[in-house]
Amino acid sequence: MVPAASSFAPIFSRKFAPGACKKSVQVPQNHLPQYLSFPLVPRNAQAAQVAQQEQLESSNPALSFPCLDAVESRSASLSRRSLSGPEPSYTTGHHLNFHSQQPILLDWGGVLPEFDVAYEAWGTLSEEKDNAILLHTGLSASSHAHSTEANPQPGWWEKFIGPGKPLDTDKYFVICTNVIGGCYGSTGPSSIDPANGERYATRFPILTMEDMVRAQFRLLDNLGIEKLYASVGSSMGGMQSLAAGVLFPDRVSRVVSISGCARSHPYSIAMRHTQRQVLMMDPNWARGFYYGRVPPHGGMKLAREIATVTYRSGPEWEQRFGRRRADPSRPPALCPDFLIETYLDHAGEKFCLEYDPNSLLYVSKAMDLFDLGQEHRNRISTVRQENSGKLQAFVDGKGIAGDASSDSCSLTLPDLPYEEKEQPAAVEADAASVPDPTEPPADLVAGLKPLANTPALVLGVASDILFPAWQQREIANTLKRAGNERVTHIELDEEKSLFGHDTFLLDLENVGGAVKKFLEQ
């Protein structure tokens, strides 16, 4: 059963008046939402009752909804299990851990008084410590990129790492971290705030890609690695790899960015916004304070299904699924019916308890905020300077500087929604006034100037709809315009790869081969 909206009124109505947005929410830790005490009647039983009662009144029997039954059964089981502790634990097995006791100032003014970075490593660090490769992850990945003796489960880049592989462990010392904001060992919303002993939840500060990279370089400092042989990443990792080169140009010898971008564009922002909205609309999300209760697994499932649509390509799905139904002998249903629907349903169901919902919100928002343009970098530099006193206060052991109430969120929704406006009639222009699509924006050129002397591999995939190939062309063209004469740009056409955005996970020959060749140059 879905609780009425009024069920949450006693908790939230006073805290979130129209036009107000408080930084913290007071949620009683021992309070369970009212709906957890309601008897959960499976929807198929309800449908049977309705059908029996209205047998003489209806022309057709009521439809069954096994997909909703499954969600409600999951909620019922999690309701019982939540009484014994948080559900689930969000872990992928053994990993190494770096704990920083020094606070870190985040780009938008938040401060983590201390933090953990979970990491794993493969290969041997040379005596000169000059063969280290930092491998950046995608949005929901852990540090487990490859199996280890302590954790023999295959990693997310298992075939790409090892002796003779693209990331050759006979040559390189490969390090992969779980980003801060994540939930696989690094400090994130599900972590304990040392200030009050409670989980951060949505009291966790807003993050950026650059914040994640700075935390990674704290780890490198701890390992005594002054300069990386290479910074390598795909998807969100491709964004981080570029950010590492821009933030620390003297500490990064090479950059590999696969299926990434130099700044987030409207389509990917829109898709991630939609995922966050369906997650936040799940009543179990409870504005982020669901730990120890029923997690918003329904919203997470839907969010993952939306994401999965963007990870693969139409041509691949045409070949794999076509218009085939899961069971053509049965009548059509409103629940998953076509093979493609069952595939998405399985992808969402598998993921919904494997990743912390709040981490999905924070990390995906960090992706949206990514922009290496000079104007944005200047603005963030100003904000960091204005907030430097907060960091010093933590260093001095004084905690939060100033009046915490002054940091209350001032974000409000617009009074009027966006409306399409009629465009003026097109004006004929000569060829000289038409922008050259191959000419990158001057602002982005200025922002990537720190990479002018860093060899870079930029790889894109024609079938990728989440990070379209033109975004990788934009990176390559911008780097060249910034003065970089050692840019290798590769674009895989659809004949070489139909896997869309997920090509970086699957194509060992073309993606792995390009990485291996570039690193050996």
Side-chain angles (χ1 to χ4, degrees):
M1 292 172 55
V2 177
S6 60
S7 300
F8 292 93
I11 304 176
F12 299 116
S13 60
R14 293 189 301 274
K15 296 294 179 182
F16 293 90
C21 174
K22 293 299 181 184
K23 197 170 187 178
S24 61
V25 182
Q26 300 300 322
V27 181
Q29 295 299 309
N30 61 352
H31 176 80
L32 287 176
Q34 297 175 16
Y35 67 88
L36 293 186
S37 62
F38 294 171
L40 289 171
V41 181
R43 206 173 285 260
N44 56 358
Q46 294 178 353
Q49 294 173 7
V50 172
Q52 185 176 7
Q53 293 171 1
E54 301 182 357
Q55 186 173 8
L56 301 178
E57 301 177 11
S58 176
S59 301
N60 300 286
L63 295 177
S64 61
F65 295 90
C67 51
L68 300 183
D69 298 337
V71 172
E72 290 166 352
S73 295
R74 176 68 70 88
S75 287
S77 65
L78 293 177
S79 170
R80 292 188 292 271
R81 294 171 64 184
S82 67
L83 297 177
S84 61
E87 172 64 34
S89 59
Y90 308 117
T91 181
T92 58
H94 179 79
H95 56 257
L96 301 172
N97 185 70
F98 162 65
H99 178 73
S100 175
Q101 294 183 326
Q102 296 300 315
I104 184 170
L105 175 66
L106 307 179
D107 277 344
W108 286 102
V111 176
L112 295 179
E114 57 187 66
F115 62 93
D116 291 323
V117 175
Y119 73 100
E120 296 177 50
W122 306 268
T124 303
L125 185 62
S126 65
E127 292 185 6
E128 296 78 11
K129 297 186 177 183
D130 60 355
N131 67 333
I133 291 178
L134 179 59
L135 176 61
H136 308 272
T137 73
L139 186 156
S140 58
S142 71
S143 61
H144 195 61
H146 189 273
S147 54
T148 63
E149 184 175 341
N151 185 0
Q153 293 296 319
W156 56 267
W157 236 27
E158 186 74 19
K159 296 181 179 180
F160 291 74
I161 302 172
K165 301 293 179 63
L167 299 189
D168 191 343
T169 50
D170 286 339
K171 299 178 179 179
Y172 313 120
F173 179 64
V174 182
I175 307 166
C176 183
T177 80
N178 177 223
V179 299
I180 58 169
C183 55
Y184 294 128
S186 294
T187 297
S190 60
S191 301
I192 299 299
D193 182 351
N196 59 14
E198 299 178 358
R199 293 181 188 266
Y200 280 106
T202 45
R203 290 180 290 240
F204 198 77
I206 290 293
L207 286 167
T208 67
M209 294 289 106
E210 290 85 346
D211 292 328
M212 299 172 185
V213 169
R214 290 188 184 95
Q216 291 172 325
F217 273 73
R218 289 272 189 99
L219 165 63
L220 297 181
D221 292 340
N222 182 258
L223 296 175
I225 298 172
E226 296 182 1
K227 190 167 187 176
L228 290 170
Y229 183 84
S231 172
V232 177
S234 306
S235 187
M236 184 184 85
M239 302 157 77
Q240 290 178 292
S241 187
L242 290 173
V246 169
L247 287 176
F248 303 100
D250 295 333
R251 298 186 64 179
V252 178
S253 300
R254 296 166 184 79
V255 165
V256 176
S257 180
I258 304 167
S259 296
C261 63
R263 53 184 179 173
S264 284
H265 292 273
Y267 176 80
S268 58
I269 293 174
M271 296 306 298
R272 288 187 290 266
H273 160 78
T274 306
Q275 295 169 47
R276 289 194 296 271
Q277 287 292 293
V278 297
L279 169 54
M280 293 164 69
M281 294 299 178
D282 186 325
N284 290 337
W285 181 60
R287 300 186 187 255
F289 291 85
Y290 51 80
Y291 300 110
R293 309 174 188 172
V294 179
H297 61 98
M300 280 291 281
K301 177 179 178 179
L302 292 175
R304 185 63 170 189
E305 290 189 37
I306 295 171
T308 303
V309 171
T310 71
Y311 292 159
R312 295 299 180 95
S313 75
E316 183 211 355
W317 282 355
E318 189 68 38
Q319 290 185 11
R320 290 177 63 187
F321 307 113
R323 287 186 44 78
R324 295 191 300 278
R325 294 177 58 215
D327 189 349
S329 67
R330 295 177 179 269
L334 296 180
C335 283
D337 181 20
F338 285 92
L339 280 181
I340 181 61
E341 293 178 314
T342 63
Y343 169 77
L344 293 175
D345 184 73
H346 173 72
E349 189 66 38
K350 181 178 182 295
F351 181 77
C352 70
L353 292 177
E354 291 185 352
Y355 195 72
D356 181 31
N358 282 339
S359 284
L360 178 64
L361 298 176
Y362 278 87
V363 177
S364 69
K365 188 65 178 183
M367 294 178 71
D368 292 352
L369 295 171
F370 185 63
D371 183 355
L372 290 178
Q374 190 62 49
E375 181 179 349
H376 180 74
R377 292 187 61 210
N378 289 344
R379 180 184 180 190
I380 292 298
S381 178
T382 300
V383 172
R384 290 184 64 84
Q385 183 62 37
E386 293 172 349
N387 287 300
S388 59
K390 292 183 179 180
L391 183 62
Q392 188 60 47
F394 274 99
V395 172
D396 296 339
K398 298 178 181 178
I400 298 176
D403 182 8
S405 63
S406 65
D407 289 332
S408 60
C409 174
S410 60
L411 180 66
T412 58
L413 295 177
D415 294 331
L416 296 175
Y418 175 81
E419 294 182 0
E420 295 286 351
K421 297 181 180 180
E422 185 176 348
Q423 298 295 323
V427 179
E428 292 186 5
D430 56 32
S433 65
V434 178
D436 182 356
T438 64
E439 187 65 25
D443 175 63
L444 200 58
V445 173
L448 292 187
K449 276 285 187 183
L451 288 172
N453 298 314
T454 305
L457 169 63
V458 182
L459 191 149
V461 181
S463 58
D464 189 344
I465 62 173
L466 183 59
F467 286 80
W470 68 261
Q471 294 184 6
Q472 291 83 58
R473 288 197 295 270
E474 179 179 67
I475 296 173
N477 291 335
T478 301
L479 288 173
K480 292 175 182 177
R481 179 60 67 181
N484 193 325
E485 298 179 352
R486 292 181 290 178
V487 178
T488 302
H489 176 228
I490 298 174
E491 184 173 315
L492 303 181
D493 59 31
E494 291 189 3
E495 290 185 2
K496 288 188 176 181
S497 183
L498 290 177
F499 299 125
H501 187 62
D502 274 357
T503 294
F504 76 88
L505 292 170
L506 304 169
D507 195 337
L508 180 61
E509 178 182 357
N510 292 304
V511 174
V515 172
K516 181 178 177 64
K517 181 179 179 180
F518 174 77
L519 293 178
E520 292 176 346
Q521 290 176 352

